[in-house]
Amino acid sequence: MKIKKDKVLLIAFLSFLPCIIFHLYKSFFGFNNLILCLLRCFVISIFILYAVLKKDLTTWILLSIIIGIEIGLDQPKIAVQLRFLSQIFLRLIKTIIAPILFSTLVVGIAGHSDIKQLGSMGWKSLLYFEIVTTLALFIGLIAINLSKAGVGIVMPYGITAQQLPKVESRTWQEIILHIFPENFIKSIYHGDVLPIVVFSVIFGISMISLEERKRNMIISFAESLSEIMFKFTKIIMYFAPIGVGSAIAYTIGHMGLDILYNLLQLLLTLYFALVIFILVVLFPILLWIKVPLKAFIKALTEPVSLAFATTSSESALPLLMENLEKLGVPKKIIAFVIPTGYSFNLDGTTLYLSLATVFVAQAAGIHLSFSQQIFIGLTLILTSKGVAGVPRASLVILLATVASFGLPNWPILAIIGIDELMDMARTTVNVIGNGLASCVIARSEGELDDKKMLDYAKNDL
C-alpha cells in the first residue's frame, strides 16, 4: 500500500497537538517524564517518516531542529558534546565567503554594468537599491530595539573560552582604514569581508575599460567560479541537518530551555519587521509606479514559493525573469536589474543582519548606541553584497561582522537553530524586492508595457 506524505504530515500534526496538551497538563493526567519522553519520540518518528517520504533538505533541517531540542532536553550531557558538529558546519560555511563574494561581484559589475550601453539605467538602479536597503536597515534596527529579543539571555559559565579571538578596540580612522585591502590574499586568509568586497568592486570596475576579448576571459572564469561555489554550497548543505540539529541540541543542553523564548521572540521580531517593510516600503512603491497588485502577485507567486521552500534566491531566478517578462518588463531591463539586484538589492538580508547583530550584542550584555548600530548597519550594506543566491550565506556575513566589531559569537550558536526559518522569510523578501526593482526601473525608463501588464492581470491567478 502506497503511503501518501500528506496523510503522514496530517497524522504528525494531529499527534503533536495532544502531545502538547499532555505536557501542559501532565500532573492532571498523572504522566511521568518517561511516558512524556516516549510520547515525544513517537511524534518525532512520524515526522521522520514524513521527511523520508518528502525527500527534501528543508524538511530534514526542520526535523533536525525538533530532534536537537529533544536531545538537549533528555540528554544534556551528550548534547553539549555534539557542539563540534555545529563547528564543522560553521567552518564549511566560512570557506565560501571569499570566492563567492569575488566571483558574484565581478560578474555583476563587469558582466552587466556597461556604463556606455546602460547609461541612466545603471545609476538609477544602484540609487534605488541603496535607498531601499537603507530603509530595510533602519526598520530592522528599530524592530530589535523595540522587542529587545536578546535581553535576558544568561551567558553559560565557561563559554568565554570558546569565543572567537578577541578583536582589539579601534578608532574610527582605523576602522575605515581596515576597509581598504592591504593584501588580497591576506584578507582571504583572515576572513576580512570588507577588504574583499572593496577589492572585488574595484577589480570589476577596472575590467569595464578592457577590450571585450580580454574582459570576457575573466568574466567566464568568474562565472565558472561562481557556479562551482554554488555547487560547493549545495554539498555543504547536505551536512546542514546535522550541523543545525547539533547546534540546537548544544544550545538547549548548555543554556536550558528558557533560551527558546528569546529565539521565538527573535523569529517573531524578524517576521514582523519584514511584513512592516513590505507594507510601508514596497507596497507604496508598487502603487506609485502603477503596477496592478493582482498582476504583480501572479508574477511573483511561483518564484517566491520556490525561494521560500529552498531558502535560495538563485533557485527562483529563471522563473522570476520569465514571469517578469510576461508581466511587461522588457528583457534587456530584466537582464540587468535582476542579476545586479541579486548582489546589491538584498532587502530581507540587510534587515535580518542589522537585527541579528544587535541581538548578539543584547545577548552578550553589550550596549550599542544607536549611532554605533547605524555604523554597523551601513557596514553590513556593503558586506552583504553578492550572497543572495547562497542558502544561509548571511550567516557567514553575520559571523564575520560579529568578529570585526569585537562581539562574542556564542549567541550565534543559538541563532543557527532557527536560521532556516529566518532564511525562508528574508529570501522571500529579497525576491519580492528584486522583482519590484525591475518594474521600477522599467517605469523610470518609460518601457513598462501597460497593455501587456493589464492583459496579464486579467487572467485568473
Side-chain angles (χ1 to χ4, degrees):
M1 182 178 69
K2 188 177 180 181
I3 303 175
K4 292 184 177 180
K5 56 190 177 185
D6 293 336
K7 290 185 177 180
V8 175
L9 182 61
L10 178 62
I11 293 171
F13 276 114
L14 291 177
S15 304
F16 182 68
L17 292 176
C19 182
I20 294 176
I21 294 173
F22 290 149
H23 273 73
L24 291 175
Y25 301 99
K26 60 182 179 181
S27 58
F28 176 78
F29 290 103
F31 291 158
N32 56 32
N33 290 333
L34 178 60
I35 295 176
L36 293 174
C37 178
L38 292 174
L39 182 61
R40 292 196 302 268
C41 290
F42 171 73
V43 175
I44 290 173
S45 65
I46 300 177
F47 277 107
I48 291 175
L49 176 60
Y50 171 74
V52 171
L53 295 173
K54 182 75 173 175
K55 297 178 181 178
D56 177 69
L57 182 61
T58 300
T59 304
W60 277 103
I61 290 176
L62 292 174
L63 176 63
S64 71
I65 295 175
I66 299 173
I67 296 175
I69 293 173
E70 180 65 26
I71 295 174
L73 284 174
D74 295 329
Q75 300 293 333
K77 292 183 179 179
I78 296 177
V80 171
Q81 298 301 319
L82 295 177
R83 182 172 181 262
F84 77 99
L85 293 173
S86 64
Q87 290 177 316
I88 291 173
F89 179 56
L90 291 178
R91 289 192 177 194
L92 288 173
I93 291 179
K94 287 180 181 180
T95 59
I96 71 168
I97 184 168
I100 203 69
L101 280 175
F102 176 78
S103 59
T104 52
L105 284 171
V106 168
V107 172
I109 295 172
H112 302 282
S113 300
D114 190 334
I115 305 300
K116 293 180 181 179
Q117 293 180 357
L118 299 175
S120 64
M121 191 166 66
W123 70 262
K124 285 179 182 177
S125 299
L126 295 176
L127 179 63
Y128 173 81
F129 294 159
E130 294 312 311
I131 290 174
V132 175
T133 51
T134 301
L135 291 174
L137 160 72
F138 278 102
I139 290 175
L141 291 178
I142 292 171
I144 191 63
N145 278 282
L146 289 176
S147 72
K148 299 185 184 300
V151 175
I153 296 179
V154 179
M155 182 178 66
Y157 176 77
I159 201 169
T160 52
Q162 299 163 350
Q163 290 179 206
L164 289 173
K166 290 185 178 180
V167 179
E168 295 181 1
S169 58
R170 299 170 178 168
T171 63
W172 65 269
Q173 295 98 330
E174 290 174 328
I175 293 175
I176 294 176
L177 182 64
H178 182 69
I179 294 174
F180 298 93
E182 176 185 5
N183 184 308
F184 184 57
I185 304 300
K186 180 181 177 182
S187 299
I188 294 175
Y189 176 77
H190 289 290
D192 293 331
V193 179
L194 277 175
I196 295 172
V197 170
V198 172
F199 178 88
S200 302
V201 169
I202 297 174
F203 189 91
I205 293 173
S206 302
M207 285 176 59
I208 297 176
S209 60
L210 293 178
E211 59 182 81
E212 188 175 352
R213 180 180 62 85
K214 295 179 179 179
R215 184 170 70 244
N216 287 341
M217 291 175 59
I218 305 299
I219 292 176
S220 178
F221 166 76
E223 287 177 339
S224 298
L225 178 61
S226 178
E227 290 179 12
I228 290 170
M229 294 316 300
F230 286 143
K231 299 293 184 183
F232 186 85
T233 304
K234 288 180 180 179
I235 295 173
I236 291 175
M237 292 317 300
Y238 285 119
F239 189 71
I242 298 175
V244 171
S246 61
I248 196 69
Y250 169 81
T251 301
I252 301 302
H254 202 172
M255 302 180 185
L257 192 60
D258 292 340
I259 196 173
L260 286 182
Y261 169 77
N262 296 87
L263 294 181
L264 179 61
Q265 196 175 356
L266 174 64
L267 184 66
L268 293 177
T269 301
L270 175 66
Y271 274 71
F272 179 76
L274 289 173
V275 170
I276 292 297
F277 174 75
I278 292 174
L279 295 178
V280 174
V281 179
L282 298 186
F283 184 64
I285 292 174
L286 186 70
L287 296 178
W288 175 57
I289 61 175
K290 298 178 181 179
V291 173
L293 179 61
K294 180 180 177 181
F296 186 75
I297 291 175
K298 181 182 178 182
L300 271 289
T301 297
E302 288 183 344
V304 163
S305 300
L306 189 60
F308 182 84
T310 61
T311 67
S312 173
S313 303
E314 185 202 22
S315 64
L317 180 60
L319 193 57
L320 176 64
M321 297 179 77
E322 180 183 347
N323 286 1
L324 286 172
E325 190 176 356
K326 292 177 182 178
L327 182 64
V329 182
K331 184 179 254 185
K332 64 178 181 180
I333 292 180
I334 296 172
F336 169 74
V337 175
I338 297 299
T340 308
Y342 267 43
S343 286
F344 293 94
N345 189 36
L346 306 176
D347 304 330
T349 300
T350 302
L351 190 152
Y352 159 77
L353 288 171
S354 63
L355 185 148
T357 304
V358 177
F359 172 85
V360 170
Q362 290 177 349
I366 298 174
H367 173 72
L368 295 175
S369 66
F370 200 69
S371 60
Q372 289 175 311
Q373 294 179 29
I374 291 174
F375 181 77
I376 292 175
L378 294 176
T379 303
L380 288 168
I381 289 179
L382 287 175
T383 58
S384 63
K385 305 308 181 189
V387 296
V390 185
R392 283 159 293 282
S394 53
L395 185 63
V396 181
I397 304 300
L398 180 60
L399 284 165
T401 304
V402 164
S404 298
F405 286 92
L407 298 174
N409 75 321
W410 65 265
I412 299 179
L413 291 172
I415 295 177
I416 291 175
I418 59 168
D419 189 65
E420 172 76 14
L421 298 175
M422 293 192 291
D423 204 6
M424 289 176 174
R426 62 181 179 250
T427 302
T428 297
V429 174
N430 285 342
V431 173
I432 295 173
N434 281 307
L436 180 60
S438 65
C439 296
V440 170
I441 302 305
R443 177 66 76 191
S444 69
E445 294 292 311
E447 296 191 36
L448 190 60
D449 193 334
D450 289 295
K451 184 179 181 302
K452 191 174 182 180
M453 190 164 49
L454 290 173
D455 291 338
Y456 187 71
K458 288 178 182 178
N459 298 324
D460 294 331
L461 284 170

